[in-house]
Amino acid sequence: MPVDEAPEDDEVRESYNFAPGYHGLVYRADVPDYGAGPRHVNPEHGQATEEESTMQMENQSEIRYKLQAMKWGLVPFWTKRNPDYGAVMKTINARDDSLAENRGMWNTMKQKKRCIIVAQGFYEWLKKNGGKEKIPHYMKRKDDQLMCFAGLWDCVQYEGTEEKHYTYTIITADSNKQLRFLHDRMPVILENGSEQIRRWLDPNRYKWSKELQALLKPFEGELECYPVSREVGKVGNNSPAFIVPVASSENKRNIANFFSNPKVSPQKGKLEPQAKSNPGETEDLNSDIKNEDDRITVDKPSTEDNAPVPVPMSEVSGVKRPRENNESEDDASPSKKSSKSETLSAVHTTNESRGNDKFQNKKKTRSATSNGTPIKNIPSTASDGSQRITNFFNK
């Protein structure tokens, strides 16, 4: 597909743990912010009328396409104030069946503001033990081509501001047979460079039709699906190892790789373990994981991919660390700086652990090497039973 305009390199960065609120790469027709087709506005405001907008569309002899950085989590154009994180989480996905009728919040976007979201793959979480355990899986195309998710975009300008905000949502459909064991929903994936994409992005199709609705179906191509590291469940963690299979020989965290590729001794023909260059040092298995976001994550059953979602910073920053028993008021004052990890660990302390601390403070400790009796004085001269063994043969 042609690209007539693209964002700067620093506007969109590569991430192996892409969370709602991040800026993704969106491919769309180069149309005004109000979308394709005529603009239905009041001419008293000095804006283009429907007839003028129609003439502008007819004068476009060539359709131009652009890549643009947009934030994941669609904010409708009629929004007056910046929504909170919970509201944005509700618009990261749009169900295909919600677009079938000409009503609802997606009605304008599906007709005038359709787009493609470019990605290498996506994650799904497999629920086990009644939802208590979640195992992340990574999906990608078997031919290693980029994925093209069908989506909708919008542009909003909040009251009292001049900045424009571009956001998007990903359309989901029923899962295909291959991914049904993971989840009942999956993103709508269109073939790269196909007639499907041209039809979906065509700005001359600014009225919703059954032909456009028919494009929203489960992916019929081959996908590769495998379990990956659980570290991807923590928002802010970012590492290329997140898309490496857990059972792969390239995965540093696979314990089976520790016993593989043993060193063969050329002299005796025996297998010897691989020796590290620095025997006194141990390998840091998490050295390649970068933490780019300090927010904690919680499980939300409403997400379509069972993914843990980040907690807004406003909820985390308002938590106060409780004062310990042996801590004075001065030590617990706000002026005393403490790290975020200390704050969170204090919050998650259970009542049972607090009770154990009190019990341990009251109970006297016992030495593991002494029973409390005073040490007897050792005579300066050695007795017969403590002399050197050679002295017994000299007598």
Side-chain angles (χ1 to χ4, degrees), residues 8-38:
E8 299 293 336
D9 292 340
D10 56 351
E11 293 185 45
V12 180
R13 58 184 176 82
E14 185 178 38
S15 176
Y16 297 93
N17 193 3
F18 197 85
Y22 286 14
H23 282 80
L25 195 61
V26 173
Y27 183 73
R28 68 179 180 93
D30 191 2
V31 296
D33 293 337
Y34 59 82

Side-chain angles (χ1 to χ4, degrees), residues 119-121 140-148 191-193:
Q120 187 175 353
K140 68 173 185 175
R141 292 180 59 120
K142 207 156 190 178
D143 55 11
D144 288 331
Q145 291 189 23
L146 291 176
M147 285 187 172
C148 298
E191 283 290 345
N192 187 7

